[in-house]
Amino acid sequence: MARIPPADDLPAYLSPLPDPVESIALRLAWVLVAVNLAGTAFGFWHYRFQLANSRPVIWPAVPDSPLVTLFMVASLVSWKVGRDRNWIHALAFVGNLKYGFWVVVVQVAVNDVFATGDPYQWFLLVSHLGMGLQAFVVHRYAEFTVPSVAVPAVWFSFNDVVDYFLPLVGDYHHTYFGPRLAGAGDHAVRAHDVAAAAAVCLTVLGTFLALAIRVRRLENET
């Protein structure tokens, strides 16, 4: 079984969680696995109508959040059993950061969660904030090589394209969320611009942070 790696000497913008919090999360890795499995199951249930209305060929690009929590499960398990796969770690890091914080942006800027007080929308906000934060424990055991980071960069860029810019099969494939974006609908409304901008920026941010962590580690080794 894997031992918890020592804390990295990283600046706060690359490692915003306090070192003790990271260590506790890694000690509770199997609890995190269970929580993410539950979140994955709930996420696929949440997407059940959209999956039913989408052609099977495009299903991998539809249920964004449950797929990235599944990547988190795969990342934690592969680390714990000593069979690290850096591309899985990179998918977990970029994916959870991206879709965790993307939902936070959407709930605040599009769904007006503070104004509506909708309990379900608050649940989505809080649970996805946890997704975004848990991404920042992955760097403790992952090696973000350039080829491994290229995998999420390509995959999540592809997702952004088919979600907002060029649907490959049928209509746009972004998630159904909130009353103002109940379906694929009218892409001329401002809400779509906010969602698309947040998705693209977070793909870039996640990729940048993964590569910046690698660069900082190499600098620390010299």
Side-chain angles (χ1 to χ4, degrees), residues 6-11 14-15 139 212-222:
D8 286 311
D9 181 19
L10 297 174
L14 295 178
S15 180
H139 74 89
I213 288 170
R214 175 168 178 78
V215 169
R216 185 58 180 257
R217 280 181 171 163
L218 292 173
E219 290 175 347
N220 290 343
E221 291 173 1
T222 60

Side-chain angles (χ1 to χ4, degrees), residues 44 50-64 67 155:
F44 280 112
Q50 187 168 353
L51 287 169
N53 292 329
S54 303
R55 298 180 188 177
V57 69
I58 203 63
W59 278 357
V62 174
D64 299 319
L67 279 180
W155 174 247

Side-chain angles (χ1 to χ4, degrees), residues 62-73:
V62 174
D64 299 319
S65 291
L67 279 180
V68 299
T69 52
L70 196 59
F71 292 154
M72 191 70 187
V73 169

